[in-house]
Amino acid sequence: MGVLAVIETNQPAAAPAEDEPDLLRDQFRQLLRYRGLIGAGVGVGLLGGVFLGVSMGDTYVATADVVLRAPTDDPFSPSLAPDKAINIGSARQVALSSSIANEAAKKLGVSAKDFAALRAGLQVTNPPQTMVLRFTYTATSPEEAAKRANAMTETYLLKRQESLDATRDKMVKGYQDQREPVAEQLDELVKQIRSMPAGPARDAAYSSKTDQQNKVNSLNGNIAKLQALDVTPGRVTSAAVPPREADGPGLVMSIVLGAAVGLALGLLAAWIRLVFDPAPRSEGDVAWALRAPVLGYLPRDKTGGGPILAAGEADPRLAEAYRSVAFRLAYDSRFADRRRLLVVAPRGSSETGAAVAVNLAASFAETGKDVLLIEADLRTPVLASQLPTDAGGRPRWSQTPGGQAAGGRPAQHGDSDWPDGRQLVVDAGESGSFDLIPGERARNVPRSLTSARATRLISEADSPNATVVVLAPPVLSYADALALVDRVDGVLVVCDPRAVHRTDLSRIRELISGAGGTVLGAVLHAPLPGEKRGRGKGGPAATGPAASAAPRRREPQPIRYEVAAAGVSQHVPGDGTDTVALRTVRTGRR
């Protein structure tokens, strides 16, 4: 096993900057967390593609083009541009009107019950920048599609011709009606002039006759101009012919297009789910919420729990991950200056937090540090029963002359609240050994954590070459960790990013900062074996058999003392009878 070199620096550890390709890859990996949504989108797209391919497999489309023209008296030199004389939008609406469909139905012999289907099959469009109306008809047979498209085209031109003729005839009649009284007045005036003698009166009559004659001539000219108009409504430039192939992309292409559209919909749904997911989407989200870098991501344990000490295991990845976290902490001056580390979990189980605290202690011991691991979890203490330990000496401050407790009687385990002076030595294999102050159930947990003895115990880090690692209960479940922050101000958060909210991480940072501490970083891990993701009010929750067994595993595992037959009062802690040799104990649910 290699030796970890601890290097002190004035710069704290920081999250490395990510370039654009790394960010894109990270975002794509985040989307792949929602494979169910993506798969559902692809499935819906495939079903839609199959439906489209089958439904359009027996439909045929025929198209006829008609170019419209405005009435003109000189087709070779029009006085007004066609696009100014014709409203192409209105012409399109007329082509789609029920009057055109009625006339076409009579021509085709369509019954009243099929009239709606006749109108539904017609589409009329106008290609941009043209005076062309394109009649597109969809039917179940190619001959029927061409026949109905041509019928619609002819009916429209016929109705437009009738409309133009009616308009012209109405205007001609209007001019004729205006001309008749003027012509009658002119005839009467001519008769009067013939019977009048020469003189001023005759000259005035001639002048009036000239005016009347001009009016008649103007009206005759307007009538002649209207009668000379070319009111041809337009012409068919492309008649509809029966199509050779069915409309649509075909079944195969429809399936491919449906899969592509479904994939896009699935990715969109996954992105929306990702946006509104309260859990951290990446290591960057965890670092942003805690305002501290992610120091490591523990690999998934495939052994179903594994020993709490990773050193010496067949798979060295886990041990190397812990060494990497310890190495990055060594570069942080905030930890290197005081050498105190508080390890906490957000809420729920602190099993992984205990493993991180133990293995970081082993990693620091590997560098030659005098490491003291303090189990400040006085509610469910279990480290003493899960680690390969041997009895060690009592801390200097806890010993009284002659090994006596207050009152002059021999010191006994249980005479005082935690810490009671017990100190165990943990054998970490090739990493060396470190000291463990095991937790004990206390009558008053807050008083025990804030006692002068606990403070003197934590101050062991002030000794040269000493490091203190403290394990506390989940910070959002109990206030125990906050009671220690004023003395162990460097905090390491251990969490499963899929089982914690970003708001929980922000709250942890605010609580620790408010208590005078600093979040040095975070260690992320995958869900524990047999644990399902849960986000209830109480945090992650196990389900299934693991959940039913959890209450039994939460009970602390006290050290078994070999008590002499004379009675418990004769036992002295540290005499070798309280040795625990559990080399392969598996981690239990805390």
Side-chain angles (χ1 to χ4, degrees), residues 31 34 37-38 41 260-276:
L31 289 177
Y34 307 103
L37 287 175
I38 298 176
V261 174
L263 178 61
L265 291 177
L267 290 175
L268 177 61
W271 179 80
I272 294 175
R273 178 68 178 86
L274 183 65
V275 169
F276 291 99

Side-chain angles (χ1 to χ4, degrees), residues 370 372 392-404 419-423 435 437 452-453 455-468:
D370 296 330
L372 177 62
R394 298 164 67 88
R396 293 186 300 274
W397 57 265
S398 67
Q399 294 177 355
T400 57
Q404 293 180 346
D420 59 1
R422 279 201 310 145
Q423 180 172 330
D435 295 333
I437 302 298
R453 285 179 295 178
T455 301
R456 289 196 299 272
L457 186 61
I458 294 173
S459 65
E460 293 286 328
D462 296 333
S463 303
N465 202 41
T467 300
V468 172

Side-chain angles (χ1 to χ4, degrees), residues 93 359 522 551 557:
Q93 294 299 322
N359 285 278
Q557 305 294 327

Side-chain angles (χ1 to χ4, degrees), residues 296-454:
Y297 202 122
L298 302 181
R300 184 181 295 275
D301 187 3
K302 300 180 180 180
T303 63
I308 192 170
L309 264 176
E313 287 300 299
D315 187 0
R317 296 180 306 154
L318 191 58
E320 291 300 327
Y322 288 123
R323 291 193 189 96
S324 176
V325 174
F327 189 74
R328 295 193 67 182
L329 282 172
Y331 273 95
D332 194 334
S333 61
R334 297 170 295 178
F335 169 76
D337 291 343
R338 293 176 57 83
R339 302 184 305 282
R340 293 180 174 92
L341 182 65
L342 181 63
V343 180
V344 296
R347 65 169 83 245
S349 171
S350 60
E351 176 181 344
T352 307
V356 171
V358 170
N359 285 278
L360 286 181
S363 297
F364 289 129
E366 187 178 7
T367 66
K369 294 285 186 181
D370 296 330
V371 182
L372 177 62
L373 174 60
I374 301 175
E375 186 181 16
D377 188 349
L378 307 184
R379 302 178 187 276
T380 56
V382 295
L383 285 186
S385 64
Q386 294 180 353
L387 291 174
T389 59
D390 196 355
R394 298 164 67 88
R396 293 186 300 274
W397 57 265
S398 67
Q399 294 177 355
T400 57
Q404 293 180 346
R409 56 186 174 82
Q412 299 182 25
H413 174 64
D415 278 350
S416 61
D417 288 338
W418 182 91
D420 59 1
R422 279 201 310 145
Q423 180 172 330
L424 304 177
V425 177
V426 179
D427 181 8
E430 296 181 0
S431 296
S433 63
F434 58 89
D435 295 333
L436 168 66
I437 302 298
E440 289 289 343
R441 288 185 178 272
R443 291 187 296 270
N444 191 322
V445 173
R447 180 177 298 175
S448 298
L449 294 177
T450 56
S451 66
R453 285 179 295 178

Side-chain angles (χ1 to χ4, degrees), residues 21 26 62 119 169 182 185 213 219 253 257 312 335 344 348 364 379 409 438 452 474 537 550 571:
D26 183 62
R119 290 193 65 186
D169 295 342
V182 176
Q185 294 177 8
Q213 187 65 52
L219 292 172
M253 186 59 67
L257 292 176
F335 169 76
V344 296
F364 289 129
R379 302 178 187 276
R409 56 186 174 82
K537 209 167 185 179
H571 174 70

Side-chain angles (χ1 to χ4, degrees), residues 75-111:
F76 301 104
S77 180
S79 59
L80 188 64
D83 58 337
K84 303 295 183 182
I86 300 176
N87 188 328
I88 195 66
S90 298
R92 178 177 172 275
Q93 294 299 322
V94 171
L96 291 170
S97 65
S98 59
S99 60
I100 302 297
N102 281 327
E103 294 297 328
K106 295 176 183 178
K107 190 173 184 178
L108 294 170
V110 176
S111 61

